[in-house]
Coordinates of all heavy atoms in Angstrom, one line a residue:
D1 N 137.5 134.1 92.8 CA 137.5 135.3 93.7 C 136.5 136.3 93.1 O 136.3 136.5 91.9 CB 138.9 135.8 93.9 CG 139.6 135.4 95.1 OD1 138.9 134.9 96.0 OD2 140.8 135.4 95.1
R2 N 135.9 137.1 94.0 CA 135.2 138.3 93.7 C 135.9 139.5 94.4 O 135.9 139.6 95.5 CB 133.7 138.2 94.2 CG 133.0 137.0 93.7 CD 131.6 136.9 94.3 NE 130.8 138.0 93.8 CZ 130.1 138.1 92.7 NH1 130.1 137.1 91.8 NH2 129.4 139.2 92.4
W3 N 136.5 140.3 93.5 CA 137.2 141.5 94.0 C 136.3 142.8 94.0 O 135.9 143.2 92.9 CB 138.4 141.7 93.1 CG 139.3 142.9 93.3 CD1 139.3 143.6 94.4 CD2 140.1 143.4 92.3 NE1 140.2 144.6 94.3 CE2 140.7 144.5 93.1 CE3 140.5 143.2 91.0 CZ2 141.6 145.5 92.4 CZ3 141.5 144.1 90.4 CH2 142.0 145.2 91.1
S4 N 136.2 143.3 95.1 CA 135.4 144.6 95.3 C 136.4 145.8 95.5 O 137.2 145.7 96.4 CB 134.4 144.5 96.3 OG 133.3 143.6 96.1
V5 N 136.4 146.7 94.6 CA 137.4 147.8 94.5 C 136.7 149.0 95.2 O 135.9 149.7 94.5 CB 137.8 148.0 93.2 CG1 139.0 148.9 93.2 CG2 138.1 146.8 92.3
I6 N 137.0 149.3 96.4 CA 136.3 150.3 97.2 C 137.1 151.6 97.2 O 138.3 151.5 97.4 CB 136.1 149.8 98.7 CG1 135.3 148.6 98.7 CG2 135.5 150.8 99.6 CD1 135.3 147.8 100.1
G7 N 136.4 152.7 97.0 CA 137.1 154.0 96.9 C 136.2 155.1 96.6 O 134.9 155.0 96.7
D8 N 136.9 156.2 96.2 CA 136.2 157.5 95.9 C 136.2 157.7 94.4 O 136.2 156.7 93.6 CB 136.8 158.7 96.6 CG 138.3 158.7 96.6 OD1 138.9 158.3 95.5 OD2 139.0 159.0 97.5
S9 N 136.3 158.9 93.9 CA 136.2 159.2 92.4 C 137.5 158.6 91.7 O 137.4 158.3 90.6 CB 136.2 160.6 92.2 OG 137.3 161.4 92.7
I10 N 138.6 158.4 92.4 CA 139.8 157.9 91.8 C 139.6 156.5 91.5 O 140.1 155.9 90.5 CB 141.0 158.1 92.8 CG1 141.2 159.6 93.0 CG2 142.2 157.5 92.1 CD1 142.2 159.9 94.0
T11 N 138.6 155.8 92.2 CA 138.2 154.4 91.8 C 137.1 154.5 90.9 O 137.0 153.8 89.9 CB 137.9 153.6 93.1 OG1 139.0 153.5 93.9 CG2 137.4 152.3 92.7
H12 N 136.0 155.3 91.2 CA 134.8 155.4 90.5 C 135.1 155.6 89.0 O 134.6 154.9 88.0 CB 133.8 156.5 91.1 CG 132.6 156.7 90.3 ND1 131.6 157.3 90.9 CD2 132.2 156.3 89.0 CE1 130.6 157.4 90.0 NE2 130.9 156.9 89.0
H13 N 135.9 156.7 88.6 CA 136.2 157.1 87.3 C 137.6 156.7 86.9 O 138.1 157.1 85.8 CB 136.0 158.5 87.2 CG 134.6 159.1 87.3 ND1 133.8 159.1 86.2 CD2 134.0 159.5 88.3 CE1 132.5 159.5 86.6 NE2 132.6 159.8 87.9
G14 N 138.3 155.9 87.7 CA 139.6 155.5 87.4 C 139.7 154.2 86.7 O 138.8 153.6 86.3
S15 N 141.0 153.9 86.5 CA 141.3 152.7 85.5 C 142.4 151.7 86.2 O 142.7 150.7 85.5 CB 141.8 153.0 84.2 OG 142.8 153.9 84.2
Y16 N 143.0 152.1 87.4 CA 144.0 151.2 87.9 C 143.5 149.8 88.1 O 144.3 148.9 87.8 CB 144.5 151.8 89.2 CG 143.6 151.7 90.4 CD1 143.7 150.7 91.3 CD2 142.7 152.7 90.6 CE1 142.7 150.6 92.4 CE2 141.8 152.8 91.7 CZ 141.9 151.7 92.6 OH 140.9 151.6 93.6
Y17 N 142.3 149.7 88.5 CA 141.8 148.4 88.9 C 141.5 147.6 87.5 O 141.7 146.3 87.4 CB 140.5 148.4 89.7 CG 139.4 148.9 89.0 CD1 138.4 148.2 88.3 CD2 139.2 150.2 88.7 CE1 137.4 148.7 87.5 CE2 138.0 150.8 88.0 CZ 137.1 150.0 87.5 OH 136.1 150.4 86.7
A18 N 141.1 148.3 86.5 CA 140.9 147.7 85.2 C 142.2 147.2 84.5 O 142.3 146.1 83.9 CB 140.2 148.7 84.3
W19 N 143.2 148.0 84.7 CA 144.5 147.5 84.1 C 145.0 146.3 84.9 O 145.7 145.4 84.3 CB 145.5 148.6 84.2 CG 145.3 149.9 83.6 CD1 145.6 151.2 83.8 CD2 144.4 150.2 82.4 NE1 145.0 152.1 83.0 CE2 144.2 151.4 82.0 CE3 143.7 149.2 81.4 CZ2 143.5 152.0 81.0 CZ3 143.0 149.7 80.4 CH2 143.0 151.1 80.1
V20 N 144.9 146.2 86.2 CA 145.2 145.0 87.0 C 144.3 143.8 86.5 O 144.8 142.7 86.3 CB 145.0 145.3 88.5 CG1 145.2 143.9 89.2 CG2 146.0 146.3 89.0
Y21 N 143.0 144.1 86.3 CA 142.1 143.1 85.9 C 142.6 142.5 84.4 O 142.5 141.3 84.2 CB 140.7 143.7 85.8 CG 139.6 142.6 85.5 CD1 139.7 141.3 85.7 CD2 138.3 143.0 85.0 CE1 138.6 140.4 85.4 CE2 137.3 142.3 84.7 CZ 137.4 140.9 84.9 OH 136.5 140.1 84.6
L22 N 143.0 143.4 83.6 CA 143.5 143.1 82.3 C 144.6 142.1 82.4 O 144.8 141.1 81.6 CB 143.8 144.3 81.5 CG 144.2 144.1 80.1 CD1 143.1 143.4 79.2 CD2 144.7 145.4 79.4
Y23 N 145.5 142.5 83.3 CA 146.7 141.6 83.5 C 146.3 140.2 84.0 O 146.7 139.1 83.5 CB 147.6 142.1 84.6 CG 148.8 141.3 85.0 CD1 150.0 141.4 84.2 CD2 148.7 140.3 85.9 CE1 151.1 140.6 84.6 CE2 149.8 139.4 86.2 CZ 151.0 139.5 85.5 OH 152.1 138.8 85.9
E24 N 145.3 140.1 85.0 CA 144.8 138.8 85.5 C 144.2 138.1 84.4 O 144.4 136.8 84.2 CB 143.9 139.0 86.6 CG 144.5 139.8 87.8 CD 145.5 139.0 88.5 OE1 145.4 137.7 88.5 OE2 146.4 139.6 89.2
L25 N 143.4 138.7 83.6 CA 142.8 137.9 82.4 C 143.7 137.4 81.4 O 143.5 136.2 81.0 CB 141.8 138.9 81.7 CG 140.4 139.1 82.4 CD1 139.7 140.4 81.8 CD2 139.5 138.0 82.3
T26 N 144.7 138.2 81.1 CA 145.6 137.8 79.9 C 146.7 136.8 80.6 O 147.2 135.9 79.8 CB 146.1 139.0 79.2 OG1 146.9 139.8 80.2 CG2 145.3 139.7 78.4
R27 N 147.1 137.1 81.7 CA 148.2 136.3 82.3 C 147.7 134.9 82.9 O 148.5 133.8 82.9 CB 149.0 137.0 83.3 CG 150.4 136.4 83.7 CD 151.3 136.2 82.4 NE 151.4 137.5 81.8 CZ 152.3 138.4 82.1 NH1 153.2 138.2 83.0 NH2 152.3 139.5 81.3
F28 N 146.5 134.9 83.5 CA 145.9 133.7 84.1 C 144.6 133.4 83.5 O 143.6 133.5 84.2 CB 145.9 133.9 85.6 CG 147.2 134.2 86.2 CD1 147.5 135.4 86.8 CD2 148.3 133.3 86.3 CE1 148.7 135.8 87.3 CE2 149.4 133.5 86.8 CZ 149.8 134.8 87.4
P29 N 144.5 133.1 82.3 CA 143.2 133.0 81.6 C 142.4 131.8 82.1 O 141.1 131.8 81.9 CB 143.5 132.8 80.1 CG 144.9 132.2 80.1 CD 145.7 133.0 81.3
Q30 N 142.9 130.9 82.8 CA 142.2 129.7 83.3 C 141.4 130.1 84.6 O 140.5 129.4 84.9 CB 143.1 128.4 83.5 CG 143.7 127.9 82.3 CD 144.9 128.8 81.8 OE1 145.6 129.4 82.5 NE2 145.1 128.7 80.5
Q31 N 142.0 131.1 85.3 CA 141.3 131.5 86.5 C 140.1 132.4 86.2 O 140.1 133.1 85.3 CB 142.2 132.4 87.3 CG 143.4 131.4 87.9 CD 144.2 132.2 89.0 OE1 144.0 133.4 89.3 NE2 145.3 131.5 89.6
E32 N 139.1 132.3 87.0 CA 137.8 133.1 87.0 C 137.9 134.1 88.1 O 137.9 133.8 89.2 CB 136.6 132.3 86.8 CG 136.5 131.4 85.7 CD 135.1 130.7 85.5 OE1 134.2 131.3 86.2 OE2 135.0 129.8 84.8
L33 N 137.8 135.4 87.6 CA 137.9 136.5 88.6 C 136.7 137.4 88.3 O 136.7 137.9 87.1 CB 139.2 137.2 88.6 CG 139.3 138.5 89.5 CD1 139.2 138.1 90.9 CD2 140.6 139.3 89.0
V34 N 135.9 137.7 89.2 CA 134.8 138.8 89.0 C 135.2 140.0 89.8 O 135.6 140.0 90.9 CB 133.4 138.3 89.5 CG1 132.5 139.4 89.5 CG2 132.9 137.1 88.8
V35 N 135.1 141.2 89.0 CA 135.6 142.4 89.6 C 134.3 143.4 89.7 O 133.5 143.4 88.7 CB 136.6 143.1 88.8 CG1 137.0 144.5 89.3 CG2 137.8 142.1 88.6
E36 N 134.2 144.0 90.8 CA 133.1 145.0 91.1 C 133.7 146.3 91.5 O 134.4 146.4 92.5 CB 132.2 144.5 92.2 CG 131.5 143.2 91.9 CD 130.3 143.4 91.1 OE1 129.9 144.5 90.6 OE2 129.7 142.3 90.6
N37 N 133.4 147.3 90.7 CA 133.8 148.7 91.2 C 132.9 149.2 92.2 O 131.6 149.3 92.0 CB 133.7 149.6 89.9 CG 134.2 151.0 90.2 OD1 133.9 151.6 91.3 ND2 134.8 151.7 89.2
C38 N 133.5 149.6 93.4 CA 132.6 150.0 94.5 C 133.1 151.4 94.8 O 133.0 151.8 96.0 CB 132.7 149.1 95.7 SG 131.9 147.5 95.4

């Protein structure tokens, strides 16, 4: 999957999506996920 995180400054300068991404990386390391801050 390619996850595009669309939003305003709360996304631009935020970290909620990064903490979710960290969970996905550490909990499902065999899966490949690309994340794009939009």
Side-chain angles (χ1 to χ4, degrees):
D1 266 340
R2 301 181 61 86
W3 173 23
S4 296
V5 193
I6 300 169
D8 48 36
S9 59
I10 298 169
T11 297
H12 179 163
H13 292 277
S15 54
Y16 69 93
Y17 71 95
W19 304 148
V20 171
Y21 187 22
L22 183 62
Y23 177 93
E24 298 295 329
L25 282 166
T26 53
R27 193 59 52 88
F28 305 109
Q30 292 76 32
Q31 292 188 0
E32 294 193 15
L33 173 66
V34 173
V35 179
E36 297 281 357
N37 184 324
C38 292

